[in-house]
Amino acid sequence: MSSIDFSPPSYRAASSDLTISISPLGLVELADEEFEVHGPRLNRYSMNWAMYLGHHYSYRRQAGEAQMALNYWRAFSDFIINFTFGKGVQFRSPKETEAIVPDLLERVWEVDNNKATVLWEIGQQGAVSGDCFIKVAYEEPYMDPAGRLHPGRVRILPLNSSFAFPEFHPHDRERLMRFKLKYRFWGTSLEGTRQVFTYTEILTDDTIEEYLNDELIDSRPNPLGTIPVVHIPNIRISGSPWGLADCDQITSINRTYNEVNTDIADIVNYHAAPVTVIIGAKANQLEKGANKVWGGLPKDAKVENLSGGSEGLKGAMEFLDRLKKAMHELTGVPETALGQAMPVSNTSGVALSILFQPLMNRYHQKIIQYARGLERVNELILLNLVVKEPEVLTWNPMTSTTPLKPGQTPQLNPQDPITYRSIVHFPPPLPLDKLVVLNEISQKMSLGLESKEGALRLLGEEFPAEKLTEIRQELMDDAKADGALQLLQTEIQQEIQELTGQIPGVDGTPAQPIMGGPEGKTPQSGNPGALTPIIDEAKAALEVGEQQMRTRLVTEAYGTQLPMRRVPEEYEK
């Protein structure tokens, strides 16, 4: 073993021999073989995180001297992360498992975990480090000290890429043979003192081993039969398992930009407080300060401010503009994306796509990697549920938000590969022309080329089946409410007919006299001669309701109504 002292990035962020700080102490113990394999990768991580956190200098200037650090590295990275994951990610499944799998994934991502936060951490690790490692683990149910029971849940844990030491198959870089998670943390020793511990977890398809300070503390079989870690390279490099960061090309440009800005700041500061040159006189003979007049100087004396440097200010500003433009071109981020004022217009979505074409190219390059990686994360999620909560594999009509359709299985088969299959969909990052899309969908539906569920998907609905169920339920509730209102109106008309002997007119027309129906039965109101239908199931309830309605109508029409007495607010004070 070799103990290597890794200096913090804040002190040596720009030096050529910078190495990674992957623990609170900046001290990492790696075997010679591990350092040889992972050393260049860790150095790259350290350099990228130093740039992201704003540590762009390897030295510090004297106190009072400006040291400009405009962190475009972070601004571009955050913009690309938000552009890729800002609208979230949608999960679908094959038709056979659509009644069960989407609900399970929604529960794990949005109930067991904070989906937006997890996606941002995944995007940040990938965009800055170039590699993202995601661990999927099951947290057993427990009871806290307050007596509250917390149910079991599946955790999605984005790992610090600097803590991850994967070992890939020599002939298949997509297959993990062994994974080591190693980091240091502060803890309390048995003596009660603060101490630094080294935690190591080694995962294989068969076993899980945990070490604390190189001492084995737990060893158990792997219940999943596979390593529950997914590696996602941010930008794929052919022939290499590792990825590249989004802004690795602008590291040196951002540093040069800051150095030129510092030079410009020095020029401005110099002209604000220039150096005074005195020739042929002594400084102690002259009174210092503002609004002073010097006189009586020797004949050959000369006093002037030292000038210089301002001639290159214009060229320096042009050079800054060129550097900034180069950073935009290399990252694909448009110059108007970071807050530059632009005229308001009704630019269409297609025009925006053309304007943002370089950024869209970067977006498509990223989602190819992340879509596949998130599908593998969902596979591990479902595998954990199969092992830990097998009861959720059966469709439950009491809890399911969508009905079971023909062709959909009511129970998932753990042995069937389709059970673990999902489809990851990234919504379009640019605004859509809703009216154009609605017109296009309307035309397709009128021609029979599109379904309602497909139309909802085109409009960005993540769960179209649930939305359709919600719409149908709302239509049924409206129909029931309309029927209840019609029943109440009919009952009121019948009571008015019995009390007055006349049938209320329809739509405000005068009342009509009663016309006898066959066998002396009372005709239905609004339709002379029609018999009133009898509902056997509700007969008793109708009799009670008629009596209450008759009493209320008579009271409302002829009962004594006392005027309301109201005290002015001024008198209440």
Side-chain angles (χ1 to χ4, degrees), residues 29 182-185 196-200 211-214:
E29 294 181 356
K182 187 174 184 179
Y183 57 89
R184 287 195 166 194
F185 66 96
V196 177
F197 297 91
T198 300
Y199 174 81
T200 305
Y211 296 84
L212 192 63
N213 292 339
D214 297 330

Side-chain angles (χ1 to χ4, degrees), residues 507-538:
D507 298 332
T509 57
Q512 303 174 3
I514 298 178
M515 299 177 60
E519 300 180 2
K521 295 185 179 179
T522 304
Q524 188 177 1
S525 61
N527 187 10
L531 298 179
T532 302
I534 299 176
I535 305 175
D536 296 337
E537 295 82 358

Side-chain angles (χ1 to χ4, degrees), residues 276-309:
T276 302
V277 179
I278 304 174
I279 301 174
K282 295 182 179 180
N284 55 10
Q285 297 175 354
L286 305 177
E287 188 176 2
K288 301 177 183 179
N291 300 324
K292 303 298 181 181
V293 178
W294 292 346
L297 295 175
K299 178 180 179 182
D300 296 332
K302 185 179 180 181
V303 179
E304 61 182 9
N305 288 331
L306 185 63
S307 62

Side-chain angles (χ1 to χ4, degrees), residues 545-563:
E546 288 176 358
Q547 181 64 31
Q548 294 177 349
M549 183 62 68
R550 182 181 298 110
T551 303
R552 182 172 180 178
L553 289 175
V554 173
T555 303
E556 292 286 344
Y558 307 109
T560 303
Q561 296 183 355
L562 298 177

Side-chain angles (χ1 to χ4, degrees), residues 17-38:
D17 59 342
L18 176 67
T19 46
I20 183 66
S21 172
I22 67 171
S23 71
L25 297 184
L27 185 65
V28 182
E29 294 181 356
L30 299 177
D32 295 337
E33 181 180 357
E34 290 178 336
F35 184 76
E36 181 180 355
V37 174
H38 299 284

